[in-house]
Amino acid sequence: MADKRRFFDRDRDSRSDNNNSSYGNNSDTGSRHSLASNKGHGHGGGSTTSEFDEPINSRLFILCGRNVSEEELRAAFDKFGLIKELWIVKDRNTGESKGVAYITYSKTSEAAVAMEEMNGKFIGNNAKSLKVLIANSRDQGSRREMNEEERLLRLFIIVPKSMSESDLKDHFTQFGDIERCNIVRERNTKESKGYAYVTFHRISHAAKAYEGCDRSFKPKFADPRPQKQHGDDRYSSAHGSTTGPCEFLNLWKSVENYKPVQWCLMLFLNLNVLSFSNNLAGFSNLRY
């Protein structure tokens, strides 16, 4: 989880660099090769970008190491589809790579397959493996959810009210393995509301379904579902602590061989108990 958060933070930082260079900040810049340069029309000084990625989810965020060149990236990623833009983030003052790159494909499915195939791979003489993610669209900025992957696996679709789950599954199975197919229905009558969700096991399968399904379904990538608050979290918020009893017990067991760490945990627990006791004493002294 910590690694995932670190990669998201790097994505956020590079987005900040992108925004700064767009508004004339002189700290960072990027080297962009657009589709025009692929066709031999020369290098653009910076292609025009819109607020939304077109098509959606077609842009990759890549942690590639500072020594990886554009040529190496293009050679490694070109086989998955038509690259519209390749951009390595560089420091404006030194011109050195910051180890972050973006690649935009002409199709959503091309980016999805490239991510699945290249994540964790090595290119060139770089000793560091690639970390490849689907980049947030520009309108989302740096905001990411912890269940972010769900956004790439689940489709929201419009369906005829007479359609059954089995009919819907039959149509979408052609694009890949389906984890769940759910037609939303009225709570009391169980009649279809006219829309459904289809969740795939693989991001590339969801992308291919988004592109290839019947257009009457009007597919869209669904937003991640809100994460539920667990019982331990409710305990934490009520008692002013970030660690519930179950979490504390699991943490204690995980460090049972490290006595100094257990001492620190015990001190933390004592401080929380003391704080709770002081609050109770304060309430008992109230006069009505």
Side-chain angles (χ1 to χ4, degrees):
M1 188 69 72
D3 290 340
K4 189 174 183 180
R5 187 177 293 110
R6 182 170 65 254
F7 292 130
F8 288 170
D9 290 342
R10 289 288 296 276
D11 188 10
R12 177 198 62 204
D13 294 341
S14 63
R15 288 175 185 279
S16 177
D17 295 340
N18 181 18
N19 293 335
N20 290 339
S21 62
S22 299
Y23 288 92
N25 188 296
N26 61 4
S27 60
D28 299 291
T29 186
S31 174
R32 296 182 182 221
H33 283 187
S34 64
L35 182 59
S37 66
N38 296 345
K39 296 180 179 179
H41 297 301
H43 303 316
S47 62
T48 302
T49 58
S50 62
E51 184 180 0
F52 302 94
D53 288 331
E54 282 293 339
I56 190 172
N57 298 336
S58 60
R59 193 164 56 111
L60 298 180
F61 167 75
I62 306 169
L63 290 177
C64 56
R66 298 176 186 271
N67 298 323
V68 175
S69 67
E70 291 182 5
E71 291 73 19
E72 289 173 329
L73 282 173
R74 188 175 299 280
F77 284 86
D78 191 56
K79 58 188 175 185
F80 300 108
L82 178 61
I83 294 178
K84 294 169 58 178
E85 183 179 58
L86 190 155
W87 173 36
I88 292 181
V89 181
K90 296 183 178 180
D91 186 274
R92 180 179 293 273
N93 297 323
T94 65
E96 294 180 353
S97 168
K98 303 186 84 173
V100 175
Y102 289 92
I103 293 179
T104 303
Y105 283 94
S106 63
K107 295 175 66 176
T108 301
S109 59
E110 294 171 347
V113 172
M115 183 207 68
E116 292 177 346
E117 294 294 328
M118 293 304 296
N119 186 40
K121 297 294 179 62
F122 296 85
I123 62 173
N125 296 321
N126 191 27
K128 196 177 198 179
S129 63
L130 300 177
K131 181 65 180 180
V132 185
L133 301 169
I134 301 294
N136 273 351
S137 60
R138 293 178 175 91
D139 69 303
Q140 288 178 288
S142 60
R143 175 174 52 86
R144 283 186 183 269
E145 305 290 343
M146 296 312 297
N147 57 340
E148 182 71 16
E149 191 177 58
E150 183 182 324
R151 175 177 63 88
L152 306 170
L153 293 169
R154 195 164 66 115
L155 296 180
F156 169 84
I157 55 176
I158 302 298
V159 297
K161 292 190 175 182
S162 59
M163 177 171 276
S164 66
E165 272 87 355
S166 60
D167 292 336
L168 185 62
K169 190 171 184 178
D170 287 342
H171 177 78
F172 280 90
T173 300
Q174 63 181 302
F175 304 107
D177 294 332
I178 293 175
E179 178 182 333
R180 187 180 182 191
C181 184
N182 177 38
I183 293 177
V184 181
R185 300 181 180 277
E186 295 286 353
R187 185 184 297 271
N188 297 325
T189 65
K190 304 302 180 183
E191 292 183 358
S192 170
K193 289 187 175 183
Y195 60 91
Y197 294 93
V198 179
T199 305
F200 288 85
H201 285 286
R202 295 180 57 180
I203 293 173
S204 60
H205 293 168
K208 290 175 181 177
Y210 170 77
E211 295 171 346
C213 71
D214 191 293
R215 292 297 92 185
S216 64
F217 288 115
K218 299 180 180 178
K220 293 184 179 180
F221 286 96
D223 292 332
R225 287 169 289 194
Q227 292 181 299
K228 295 181 179 179
Q229 189 179 31
H230 299 292
D232 288 349
D233 295 332
R234 290 194 296 271
Y235 172 90
S236 302
S237 60
H239 294 78
S241 170
T242 58
T243 305
C246 294
E247 291 177 339
F248 189 89
L249 181 59
N250 292 333
L251 188 58
W252 180 268
K253 290 180 179 179
S254 67
V255 296
E256 59 184 355
N257 294 327
Y258 302 94
K259 295 301 181 184
V261 178
Q262 285 192 330
W263 295 340
C264 292
L265 289 175
M266 184 58 70
L267 177 61
F268 170 79
L269 179 61
N270 289 335
L271 289 175
N272 275 272
V273 171
L274 180 61
S275 176
F276 185 65
S277 300
N278 289 339
N279 289 336
L280 287 178
F283 282 120
S284 64
N285 290 331
L286 288 176
R287 296 182 180 179
Y288 298 95

